[in-house]
Amino acid sequence: MSLTRRGFAALASLSLMSTVMASAWAGSPADPSPDAALQAAIAGAQRTPAFTSRDGARHPYETLRFFGIRPEMTVVELSPGGGWYTEILAPYLREKGQLILGADDPQSTNAYRQRSGQRLKEKLAAAPAVYGKVQMHVFEVPGRLQYAAPGSADLVLTFRNVHNWIEAGGEPAVAAVFRSAFEALKKGGSFGVVEHRRPAAQAQDEKASSGYVHEAYVIRVAESVGFKLAARSEVNANPKDTADHENGVWALPPTLANKDKDRERYTAIGESDRMTLRFVKP
């Protein structure tokens, strides 16, 4: 049976309505009007100068807005490392919200994790006016993933860590981390992931030893534990990054692992090409 022009218009209207409803169900980012509090946190004097120098490559304002952050939220940051994003999140959430860190254990038997956790603990303790309300809980892959009460978080975030979890225990470890995020979130809450992106045409080894991960891999594992992909952003994309460097992603800034070898070329490429994905707990 053929459709009239009016019939096509009706179908188009229904399709548009379905898209809008699906978007609303998936969870929407924050209001598009400027977030002055977030801008102030990013511009704040609490931030380390070496960290702020990376803003042009890491786009913290655009990234956090894409993830739908609001100042009254309970937010979990997994594997915060040296606190690059923590320096922004802590003051932003201090008055109305809550920041929970899933971090390395300062008492870990693993020397690297012990140093990492201790440095972060000392960083928080040194500036109570900024970090005094931050909760720091142990998060170590694959076994210690109880960092927040079930159903307590509005937003769980992780930045450039999935490859580390693959190295720690392969896909089962990544799935366990993603499942812990799913369980920590409220219904309708979001899980934001930024990770170095490996082109689909390039093979990925089981340990992700280059630091790059296939975007399809992250989506597949997230969906396997119950998440729905709500949106993708190219805000952290870098088309100049071919992801096939000697010493992997660490050949690029800020690490520049190859030192003076091809330094100008790697500096010209800049930081890695990154996927930026927002998942939602239905």
mmCIF file of all heavy atoms in Angstrom, residues 50 53-54 58 160 196 249-257 263 270-272 274:
data_model
loop_
_atom_site.group_PDB
_atom_site.id
_atom_site.type_symbol
_atom_site.label_atom_id
_atom_site.label_comp_id
_atom_site.label_asym_id
_atom_site.label_seq_id
_atom_site.Cartn_x
_atom_site.Cartn_y
_atom_site.Cartn_z
ATOM 1 N N ALA A 50 50.657 22.716 35.811
ATOM 2 C CA ALA A 50 50.935 21.695 34.798
ATOM 3 C C ALA A 50 49.658 21.012 34.319
ATOM 4 O O ALA A 50 49.593 20.529 33.182
ATOM 5 C CB ALA A 50 51.900 20.653 35.356
ATOM 6 N N SER A 53 47.650 23.447 31.888
ATOM 7 C CA SER A 53 48.264 23.551 30.564
ATOM 8 C C SER A 53 47.711 22.504 29.604
ATOM 9 O O SER A 53 47.874 22.633 28.386
ATOM 10 C CB SER A 53 49.784 23.399 30.668
ATOM 11 O OG SER A 53 50.150 22.071 31.022
ATOM 12 N N ARG A 54 47.035 21.470 30.137
ATOM 13 C CA ARG A 54 46.459 20.418 29.288
ATOM 14 C C ARG A 54 45.005 20.691 28.938
ATOM 15 O O ARG A 54 44.385 19.900 28.214
ATOM 16 C CB ARG A 54 46.543 19.053 29.985
ATOM 17 C CG ARG A 54 47.889 18.634 30.527
ATOM 18 C CD ARG A 54 49.043 18.860 29.599
ATOM 19 N NE ARG A 54 48.817 18.360 28.233
ATOM 20 C CZ ARG A 54 49.574 18.708 27.207
ATOM 21 N NH1 ARG A 54 50.573 19.553 27.372
ATOM 22 N NH2 ARG A 54 49.317 18.221 26.010
ATOM 23 N N ARG A 58 42.272 18.489 26.711
ATOM 24 C CA ARG A 58 41.360 17.627 27.472
ATOM 25 C C ARG A 58 39.957 18.195 27.626
ATOM 26 O O ARG A 58 39.059 17.491 28.090
ATOM 27 C CB ARG A 58 41.988 17.305 28.835
ATOM 28 C CG ARG A 58 43.288 16.542 28.658
ATOM 29 C CD ARG A 58 43.933 16.107 29.954
ATOM 30 N NE ARG A 58 45.120 15.296 29.686
ATOM 31 C CZ ARG A 58 45.916 14.779 30.592
ATOM 32 N NH1 ARG A 58 45.640 14.977 31.887
ATOM 33 N NH2 ARG A 58 46.965 14.057 30.254
ATOM 34 N N ARG A 160 40.565 7.866 30.934
ATOM 35 C CA ARG A 160 41.776 7.223 30.417
ATOM 36 C C ARG A 160 42.264 6.095 31.335
ATOM 37 O O ARG A 160 43.443 5.997 31.636
ATOM 38 C CB ARG A 160 42.888 8.269 30.197
ATOM 39 C CG ARG A 160 42.450 9.439 29.309
ATOM 40 C CD ARG A 160 43.526 10.502 29.181
ATOM 41 N NE ARG A 160 44.047 10.929 30.464
ATOM 42 C CZ ARG A 160 43.433 11.766 31.287
ATOM 43 N NH1 ARG A 160 42.253 12.290 30.974
ATOM 44 N NH2 ARG A 160 43.986 12.102 32.430
ATOM 45 N N HIS A 196 41.587 6.441 25.445
ATOM 46 C CA HIS A 196 42.373 6.482 24.221
ATOM 47 C C HIS A 196 41.739 5.530 23.207
ATOM 48 O O HIS A 196 41.467 4.372 23.519
ATOM 49 C CB HIS A 196 43.814 6.036 24.496
ATOM 50 C CG HIS A 196 44.457 6.721 25.658
ATOM 51 N ND1 HIS A 196 44.731 8.064 25.684
ATOM 52 C CD2 HIS A 196 44.874 6.227 26.861
ATOM 53 C CE1 HIS A 196 45.307 8.370 26.840
ATOM 54 N NE2 HIS A 196 45.399 7.282 27.573
ATOM 55 N N VAL A 249 50.580 4.967 23.335
ATOM 56 C CA VAL A 249 50.033 6.295 23.607
ATOM 57 C C VAL A 249 51.007 7.165 24.402
ATOM 58 O O VAL A 249 50.962 8.397 24.335
ATOM 59 C CB VAL A 249 48.681 6.170 24.353
ATOM 60 C CG1 VAL A 249 48.887 5.699 25.785
ATOM 61 C CG2 VAL A 249 47.911 7.482 24.328
ATOM 62 N N TRP A 250 51.929 6.518 25.102
ATOM 63 C CA TRP A 250 52.864 7.265 25.937
ATOM 64 C C TRP A 250 53.960 7.954 25.126
ATOM 65 O O TRP A 250 54.730 8.734 25.673
ATOM 66 C CB TRP A 250 53.455 6.333 26.989
ATOM 67 C CG TRP A 250 52.357 5.779 27.841
ATOM 68 C CD1 TRP A 250 51.727 6.398 28.879
ATOM 69 C CD2 TRP A 250 51.721 4.510 27.693
ATOM 70 N NE1 TRP A 250 50.735 5.608 29.391
ATOM 71 C CE2 TRP A 250 50.703 4.432 28.693
ATOM 72 C CE3 TRP A 250 51.902 3.422 26.824
ATOM 73 C CZ2 TRP A 250 49.877 3.322 28.834
ATOM 74 C CZ3 TRP A 250 51.068 2.304 26.963
ATOM 75 C CH2 TRP A 250 50.086 2.260 27.952
ATOM 76 N N ALA A 251 54.007 7.702 23.816
ATOM 77 C CA ALA A 251 54.915 8.452 22.940
ATOM 78 C C ALA A 251 54.454 9.894 22.780
ATOM 79 O O ALA A 251 55.257 10.787 22.487
ATOM 80 C CB ALA A 251 55.000 7.781 21.566
ATOM 81 N N LEU A 252 53.153 10.118 22.999
ATOM 82 C CA LEU A 252 52.556 11.436 22.802
ATOM 83 C C LEU A 252 52.655 12.273 24.077
ATOM 84 O O LEU A 252 52.945 11.759 25.157
ATOM 85 C CB LEU A 252 51.093 11.273 22.400
ATOM 86 C CG LEU A 252 50.820 10.513 21.100
ATOM 87 C CD1 LEU A 252 49.319 10.382 20.883
ATOM 88 C CD2 LEU A 252 51.477 11.197 19.915
ATOM 89 N N PRO A 253 52.396 13.589 23.968
ATOM 90 C CA PRO A 253 52.313 14.417 25.174
ATOM 91 C C PRO A 253 51.180 13.915 26.061
ATOM 92 O O PRO A 253 50.206 13.367 25.564
ATOM 93 C CB PRO A 253 51.999 15.808 24.615
ATOM 94 C CG PRO A 253 52.425 15.763 23.183
ATOM 95 C CD PRO A 253 52.196 14.354 22.732
ATOM 96 N N PRO A 254 51.251 14.069 27.368
ATOM 97 C CA PRO A 254 52.334 14.782 28.063
ATOM 98 C C PRO A 254 53.531 13.916 28.430
ATOM 99 O O PRO A 254 54.519 14.419 28.933
ATOM 100 C CB PRO A 254 51.633 15.283 29.326
ATOM 101 C CG PRO A 254 50.617 14.221 29.615
ATOM 102 C CD PRO A 254 50.129 13.745 28.278
ATOM 103 N N THR A 255 53.473 12.596 28.176
ATOM 104 C CA THR A 255 54.541 11.699 28.628
ATOM 105 C C THR A 255 55.799 11.797 27.770
ATOM 106 O O THR A 255 56.910 11.881 28.289
ATOM 107 C CB THR A 255 54.044 10.242 28.653
ATOM 108 O OG1 THR A 255 52.840 10.172 29.426
ATOM 109 C CG2 THR A 255 55.080 9.327 29.258
ATOM 110 N N LEU A 256 55.611 11.755 26.433
ATOM 111 C CA LEU A 256 56.734 11.796 25.488
ATOM 112 C C LEU A 256 57.795 10.756 25.868
ATOM 113 O O LEU A 256 58.965 11.061 26.092
ATOM 114 C CB LEU A 256 57.340 13.205 25.429
ATOM 115 C CG LEU A 256 56.410 14.287 24.841
ATOM 116 C CD1 LEU A 256 56.983 15.677 25.083
ATOM 117 C CD2 LEU A 256 56.186 14.049 23.357
ATOM 118 N N ALA A 257 57.346 9.493 25.906
ATOM 119 C CA ALA A 257 58.183 8.396 26.386
ATOM 120 C C ALA A 257 59.423 8.152 25.536
ATOM 121 O O ALA A 257 60.403 7.598 26.028
ATOM 122 C CB ALA A 257 57.354 7.113 26.455
ATOM 123 N N ARG A 263 60.535 13.745 18.681
ATOM 124 C CA ARG A 263 59.826 14.583 19.659
ATOM 125 C C ARG A 263 58.957 15.641 18.987
ATOM 126 O O ARG A 263 57.811 15.867 19.385
ATOM 127 C CB ARG A 263 60.841 15.243 20.592
ATOM 128 C CG ARG A 263 60.202 15.979 21.775
ATOM 129 C CD ARG A 263 61.270 16.659 22.628
ATOM 130 N NE ARG A 263 60.719 17.216 23.846
ATOM 131 C CZ ARG A 263 60.645 16.579 25.008
ATOM 132 N NH1 ARG A 263 61.093 15.338 25.101
ATOM 133 N NH2 ARG A 263 60.128 17.156 26.069
ATOM 134 N N GLY A 270 50.087 16.045 19.337
ATOM 135 C CA GLY A 270 49.356 16.407 20.548
ATOM 136 C C GLY A 270 48.903 15.184 21.318
ATOM 137 O O GLY A 270 49.388 14.070 21.092
ATOM 138 N N GLU A 271 47.987 15.369 22.249
ATOM 139 C CA GLU A 271 47.496 14.248 23.048
ATOM 140 C C GLU A 271 46.661 13.308 22.193
ATOM 141 O O GLU A 271 46.259 13.631 21.079
ATOM 142 C CB GLU A 271 46.716 14.758 24.262
ATOM 143 C CG GLU A 271 47.599 15.511 25.245
ATOM 144 C CD GLU A 271 46.992 15.644 26.627
ATOM 145 O OE1 GLU A 271 46.088 14.858 26.977
ATOM 146 O OE2 GLU A 271 47.438 16.541 27.371
ATOM 147 N N SER A 272 46.366 12.146 22.733
ATOM 148 C CA SER A 272 45.770 11.059 21.962
ATOM 149 C C SER A 272 44.361 11.369 21.465
ATOM 150 O O SER A 272 43.649 12.216 22.004
ATOM 151 C CB SER A 272 45.704 9.797 22.835
ATOM 152 O OG SER A 272 44.806 9.992 23.917
ATOM 153 N N ARG A 274 40.647 10.395 21.503
ATOM 154 C CA ARG A 274 39.901 9.785 22.605
ATOM 155 C C ARG A 274 38.422 9.671 22.316
ATOM 156 O O ARG A 274 37.812 10.604 21.788
ATOM 157 C CB ARG A 274 40.103 10.604 23.891
ATOM 158 C CG ARG A 274 41.541 10.525 24.388
ATOM 159 C CD ARG A 274 41.879 11.589 25.377
ATOM 160 N NE ARG A 274 43.318 11.548 25.658
ATOM 161 C CZ ARG A 274 43.985 12.532 26.227
ATOM 162 N NH1 ARG A 274 43.379 13.640 26.589
ATOM 163 N NH2 ARG A 274 45.290 12.404 26.441
#
